[in-house]
Amino acid sequence: MKRKNWSMKFSAVMAGALLVLAGCQPVSNVDVNKVINSSFAVKSGEGRSTLALELTPSASSTQTPEEKKAFELLSKLKFDITEAKTQDALHASIKGNLEYSKGKIPFHLEISEMDYILWIEGAKKPIVFKNNPAAFPQGAAGGVELSEKLQQEIEDLAKNAVEKVPQLGGFFVNNFPNPSKITAGQVTETVYGESLSLTKVHAEVYGTELAALVKGFLTNVLADDAGLKDFISTLYDLYAPFVKAVMEEQGEAGNNAAIAPYLNNKTLAVEFLHNYIKTSLQQALAQYDQSVASLTEGGGEVVKPLLSDKHWIKLDLWVDKDYLPRKSAFEWNLTLPEDSGSPIQGVKVTSTSENWNVNKPVTVSKVDVSKGVNEWEPSSRITAGKLLSSLEPNSALYKLLKDDLHVTRKNIRLAAAPAGEVYGTQPYNDNGTVMVPVRFVTEQLDADVKWNGETKKVTITDPLSGSIIELTIGSTEAAVSGKTLTLEKPAQLVNSATYVPVRVVSEGMGANVAWEQDTQTVVITRE
């Protein structure tokens, strides 16, 4: 269970990029280190932003008409965030539109504690992504039963991680060198209709200096003994209680002689990791130049564009007298060679943001859930079929996903094994009836499968078609959405897997089945 840090405004993310661009040295009497660390310390505020993606096709690539249509549809995407509010580290909201070539789709996202509530135009109900550990069924998290104590440890870890961001981020900020192009100075800018006297930091990094910047950072980290130990110590304080709680839940706290001494002795753990990281850094730096050269020579066609002047990052960040971020502009550009073989020659990402009421009282905009919600539990599979089942068929989002992007299109090919020689997920031909592994095939078709060991019954639920199929081991009868069908062969257990006739499963979910005699292959397709 991972929890995203939603306490940072978009400009704080831009400030994170600035640490790569600006390092920690003062520029024109502006303390860049303080600019970045102050951005990490943003706890609340309001803002608006844009994030745009632009793809340029390669003139030499060949695309099918369908591939060309999809490319044109998605070659220019834009998230226009018209309202962003951060109340505190665990409560935030975003309103905006996803814009693409055919129009725009409004959305509203609310982050509340450890849950995410999404309304998007076309959804039958707001979708709730349950990220609370209590939502996990027993045994879902790697076999660990989530007791109240462990649930609390996870929640504490998420909250503490947010609080540690400035401290952890500061380590990277302090050790990054400056790029060759960086300026700073006083300007007057308008933010949310207000004219402000701000400090503007402008930085650029080109691919030609990336290798040198990374080497400089590693060299600085190696020399920063105290900073590295503080960094490790902070990570220990953050994660050690959680690891100890998990081991106690599993009954391994006293059985793991290798790790127990480190979990119970912070000084020992920090010293061990410090020595290990320093040794690894020394080895990496000794071979750094040779490693970079090997990446760019011979078969380094993928790396070369990244280290060329056709790859760059540019950033402008405006901060107020308290060094709090108020405005930002970001550009990332990568151009590939004409003969790269990629259908995409250029990628460009741009963003802008402005913020107000920074670190002042802010209340999030709540999603309207008065008419109910569609809950997605953390243990459930999020599939294209499940997503489409939560949307109105006549909505723009449904048509974009199904008709334009064909996210539910399936083409499953399975080579059959001789009867009695079944291995893995292979189907087999039982005297003219193709038997397939029910869980593998149905999950490939985005359906859910449940097994009842007592009744030996398999229940398949297809969210896209709404079909429910019930089969029992040894029975030639199946129920498909309440109708009883007679099977060609009974469901069987083979190598602890349930096998059923392919047609009742596939066609019961609106798929087509074909048999290739020459290759002894069953082909299942669905739009």
Side-chain angles (χ1 to χ4, degrees):
M1 273 167 293
K2 296 180 180 179
R3 185 186 182 282
K4 297 179 180 178
N5 174 12
W6 289 96
S7 67
M8 302 303 164
K9 303 296 291 172
F10 194 77
S11 62
V13 177
M14 294 300 98
L18 184 62
L19 77 86
V20 178
L21 299 177
C24 63
Q25 303 302 316
V27 179
S28 301
N29 296 319
V30 174
D31 188 344
V32 178
N33 187 323
K34 189 173 181 179
V35 169
I36 301 170
N37 282 322
S38 295
S39 300
F40 284 140
V42 172
K43 300 299 182 183
S44 65
E46 298 183 64
R48 57 192 175 196
S49 61
T50 63
L51 177 64
L53 168 68
E54 183 177 347
L55 304 176
T56 304
S58 172
S60 60
S61 70
T62 57
Q63 293 179 318
T64 66
E66 192 167 289
E67 289 172 338
K68 185 177 180 181
K69 178 183 176 182
F71 188 94
E72 291 174 349
L73 187 69
L74 301 178
S75 60
K76 290 186 178 180
L77 292 177
K78 181 180 178 181
F79 282 97
D80 183 14
I81 308 300
T82 57
E83 176 190 287
K85 295 182 177 181
T86 300
Q87 181 172 317
D88 54 42
L90 299 175
H91 298 86
S93 63
I94 298 172
K95 289 183 179 180
N97 300 288
L98 168 61
E99 300 179 6
Y100 65 112
S101 62
K102 286 189 174 182
K104 61 183 180 181
I105 301 172
F107 65 89
H108 179 185
L109 174 67
E110 178 191 348
I111 299 94
S112 179
E113 295 293 336
M114 298 185 74
D115 294 338
Y116 310 95
I117 307 166
L118 173 66
W119 172 86
I120 189 164
E121 187 174 74
K124 297 174 182 176
K125 296 178 180 180
I127 300 170
V128 177
F129 300 89
K130 303 293 289 184
N131 200 33
N132 192 309
F136 280 82
Q138 295 295 304
V144 179
E145 293 187 355
L146 298 180
S147 65
E148 290 185 7
K149 179 181 178 181
L150 188 56
Q151 291 173 28
Q152 188 59 52
E153 286 288 350
I154 294 172
E155 292 182 16
D156 289 344
L157 173 61
K159 294 175 183 178
N160 292 336
V162 172
E163 295 174 359
K164 297 295 185 183
V165 166
Q167 192 172 347
L168 294 172
F171 171 73
F172 292 94
V173 173
N174 294 338
N175 286 293
F176 245 101
N178 282 357
S180 58
K181 293 187 177 182
I182 179 169
T183 59
Q186 301 299 311
V187 297
T188 299
E189 281 287 329
T190 301
V191 177
Y192 196 53
E194 182 182 3
S195 181
L196 300 174
S197 177
L198 303 174
T199 299
K200 177 184 177 182
V201 179
H202 173 80
E204 299 179 15
V205 166
Y206 289 83
T208 49
E209 61 180 319
L210 278 179
L213 286 173
V214 172
K215 184 177 182 180
F217 170 70
L218 297 178
T219 301
N220 291 343
V221 170
L222 185 60
D224 186 10
D225 265 352
L228 181 57
K229 285 186 177 181
D230 286 344
F231 180 78
I232 297 170
S233 178
T234 301
L235 289 177
Y236 181 94
D237 292 339
L238 191 60
Y239 288 102
F242 172 69
V243 175
K244 290 166 79 170
V246 171
M247 292 181 66
E248 289 174 1
E249 290 287 323
Q250 294 178 316
E252 296 180 1
N255 299 328
N256 198 325
I259 194 173
Y262 299 100
L263 285 176
N264 297 318
N265 189 326
K266 178 180 176 179
T267 303
L268 181 64
V270 171
E271 193 63 31
F272 170 79
L273 289 172
H274 174 260
N275 291 335
Y276 175 79
I277 292 172
K278 285 203 67 172
T279 300
S280 299
L281 283 174
Q282 288 169 346
Q283 294 173 349
L285 284 168
Q287 303 171 2
Y288 187 83
D289 293 338
Q290 182 180 350
S291 298
V292 172
S294 67
L295 286 174
T296 56
E297 295 173 359
E301 299 303 320
V302 176
V303 177
K304 282 181 181 178
L306 297 175
L307 300 180
S308 75
D309 58 2
K310 301 295 184 182
H311 178 213
W312 68 74
I313 300 173
K314 298 178 182 180
L315 176 68
D316 291 308
L317 184 67
W318 292 262
V319 297
D320 61 20
K321 60 182 177 59
D322 297 317
Y323 282 82
L324 294 173
R326 303 303 301 272
K327 195 171 183 177
S328 72
F330 174 84
E331 178 184 326
W332 174 68
N333 186 88
L334 174 64
T335 302
L336 300 176
E338 287 273 357
D339 58 352
S340 66
S342 170
I344 299 173
Q345 185 173 0
V347 182
K348 185 177 182 180
V349 177
T350 57
S351 70
T352 62
S353 74
E354 57 179 355
N355 305 291
W356 57 94
N357 288 338
V358 179
N359 284 343
K360 294 181 179 179
V362 173
T363 302
V364 301
S365 296
K366 291 187 172 294
V367 174
D368 182 4
V369 296
S370 60
K371 296 182 180 179
V373 298
N374 183 359
E375 287 195 4
W376 287 10
E377 298 293 344
S379 59
S380 64
R381 296 166 58 242
I382 299 177
T383 63
K386 185 173 182 179
L387 174 59
L388 284 182
S389 70
S390 67
L391 303 177
E392 297 289 355
N394 63 345
S395 67
L397 181 56
Y398 185 99
K399 293 176 181 178
L400 169 65
L401 295 173
K402 193 171 194 305
D403 301 336
D404 294 325
L405 300 181
H406 306 289
V407 297
T408 58
R409 178 174 289 176
K410 303 292 181 180
N411 189 330
I412 306 166
R413 299 178 61 87
L414 297 169
E421 299 180 21
V422 179
Y423 177 77
T425 58
Q426 285 183 293
Y428 64 91
N429 192 336
D430 186 359
N431 295 321
T433 300
V434 179
M435 306 289 286
V436 295
V438 65
R439 181 172 295 276
F440 177 79
V441 170
T442 54
E443 289 186 349
Q444 288 291 305
L445 292 171
D446 292 346
D448 294 320
V449 185
K450 289 186 178 179
W451 165 253
N452 187 320
E454 294 182 3
T455 61
K456 297 190 181 300
K457 179 181 286 187
V458 175
T459 303
I460 302 165
T461 304
D462 179 27
L464 188 61
S465 66
S467 295
I468 298 176
I469 304 172
E470 295 178 316
L471 305 122
T472 303
I473 299 298
S475 173
T476 56
E477 288 190 347
V480 180
S481 297
K483 296 181 180 180
T484 301
L485 299 179
T486 301
L487 305 178
E488 302 156 283
K489 300 283 183 180
Q492 301 175 19
L493 278 177
V494 179
N495 297 334
S496 300
T498 302
Y499 276 71
V500 297
V502 64
R503 291 193 183 278
V504 69
V505 175
S506 302
E507 294 179 2
M509 293 189 290
N512 297 312
V513 179
W515 173 254
E516 294 181 355
Q517 182 64 32
D518 292 345
T519 59
Q520 295 287 291
T521 299
V522 61
V523 182
I524 304 169
T525 57
R526 185 168 80 167
E527 288 294 322

